[in-house]
Amino acid sequence: MLHKTWRRVAIATAGLLALTLSTACSEDPGESTDLSENKVGAMATYGVGDQFKATEALSFSTLYNNHTFYPLKEDWAFWSELTKRTNVKIEPVAVPLSDYEQKRSLLIGAGDAPLIIPKTYHPQENAFVSSGAILPVSDYLDLMPNLKDKIAKWNLKPEIDNLRQSDGKFYLLPGVHEKPTQDYTVLVRTDIMQELNLAVPKTWDELYTVLKAMKAKYPNVYPYSDLFSKPNPTGALLNILGSAHGTQAGWDYQHATWDPAAKKFNYTGASEQYKQMVTYLHKLVAEGLLDPESFTQTDDQARQKLANGKSFVVTGNAQTLVNNHRPDLAKTLPNAKLAKIPLPIGPAGEINPFPRLENGIMISTKARESKNFVAMMQFIDWLWYSDAGLEFARWGIEGTTFTKDASGKRTLNPGVDFLGLNPKAPKHLQKDFGFQNGVFAYGGSPDLVRGFFSPEELEFQKVMDARTPRVVPPPAPLTDEEREQVSLWETPLKDFVTQNTLKFALGQRPLSEWDAYVAELKAKNSDQYIDLVNKAYERFQKNNG
């Protein structure tokens, strides 16, 4: 109750003070700087590189995204070793992968959320800010020396500022990367390319030429048949195709896209870049190069088509390549060869679109009242942000799952497999030990993130590293009142963009009706939406410039 009262006062005060808080300065002291009653179990001194260990046994409830590939096991070494090192036991509140976002919203809305809420992708936290259900974690960065150190060392301030709300605070602790590590791209049957004497395509236009040649040789095949149709049709393909065109689509869709030249935001689904992307997609479908069922079929159906030679190209990443498609092909077409190609280049140029901030953690407001709050924040800082914690979450236990030589190079033990490094090993790093778990393992330096990569994958990353990182958009945080307004527009707008992207791609709506479609978006308040975003951007610049 006290927190909600403070939030109402803060909103009113923010209107009067016109957001005088400056992000160029150090973090503000927060709503309450007195943590003297919240230090039970905390280390008296805790700094960068220190091993966190609670001074008494503690447990923290944590929302757990239960992945189908490595379903939760109580006997994982991850749990017991984590407790051994930190004196903390995680109490997982397991939610199926397919229901994670919906269940998270229900738990938070009902006031039943666990204290630690990982696997949250910005801007998903925005929906929970105005209610006071989650903490402004930026108020407590002094409790997190490892995170502060990485923000400073890796020059992450522009990315962190992009998380800020209109009160100048941010409410999500993101996974942080030193360098972008793009994973999703196009997977291609290289044996078919060799058969047709085709070079690896470097651009989306060259990929079109490759697909045309495949179609000419195999007219009864849709060369590109995609998966990932849920929750957004071809979400992965649209994601990488959109970034190549300088826009955001599929999994990455955001209503507002920053235009660096014009120094303003445009409505994404109405932009010229989005139109170019849709036009390319339409061309692939119209010429029989992209399977129209890509927008609706299950992942298993897409896998079967690739495995049975009914398609030659699919969107994927290192894990889907090694864990799914190559084993599928080995059973049905043992001479087939499938490989990741460097992300094709589009009109946006040679960019590496992967952001340096990954999904992150929300903290329930209830945690602030806990006598163990400081210990909990120290624990989170160690597990998710310290070098030792990041190594533990990814690699596991030295001597059991990996070894390390004098130079610090890590090697997976031969009896443990991950990403096909030891395919005949009896144990799997995720399934049998609980490490490399997407709830706990994200972010880090390149040597940590890429330590498991095969020479093939390292070569892919070498090509991507040579490209320019994508531009980080400036902050444009909305006030609570503005967010309440746009929340009424966002779902109808996104649904309309998704539906019409599909219609244009499939030819169910002619591209000649693009202007009519844009007018329909305006009737659904796209202009008003983008006006509010640009107003928020200008306000933030004025108050924090």
Side-chain angles (χ1 to χ4, degrees), residues 259-270:
D259 183 340
K263 294 191 180 301
K264 67 176 184 178
F265 287 89
N266 294 320
Y267 190 77
T268 303

Side-chain angles (χ1 to χ4, degrees), residues 183-190 193 207 214 223-224 226-228 240 306 312-322 325-326 337-341 344 460:
D183 194 5
Y184 278 91
T185 186
V186 181
L187 313 183
V188 181
R189 281 275 302 274
T190 52
M193 291 178 59
L207 178 63
M214 289 176 168
Y224 203 145
D226 213 22
L227 30 67
F228 304 120
I240 59 175
L306 186 69
F312 306 134
V313 181
V314 69
T315 310
N317 62 10
Q319 290 203 51
T320 61
L321 174 68
V322 173
H325 301 306
R326 280 181 174 166
K337 297 186 183 302
L338 189 73
K340 286 177 70 172
I341 66 170
F460 173 88

Side-chain angles (χ1 to χ4, degrees), residues 104-158:
R104 179 184 62 202
S105 295
L106 291 172
L107 287 169
I108 294 174
D112 296 329
L115 299 181
I116 303 172
I117 310 170
K119 214 64 182 172
T120 299
Y121 291 83
H122 177 72
Q124 292 174 342
E125 78 276 13
N126 291 354
F128 311 111
V129 170
S130 61
S131 68
I134 58 174
L135 278 184
V137 289
S138 55
D139 285 346
Y140 304 102
L141 286 190
D142 284 343
L143 303 178
M144 308 186 75
N146 289 289
L147 174 56
K148 286 185 69 174
D149 180 60
K150 285 180 169 53
I151 291 173
K153 282 196 310 187
W154 296 348
N155 299 313
L156 287 166
K157 185 179 182 299

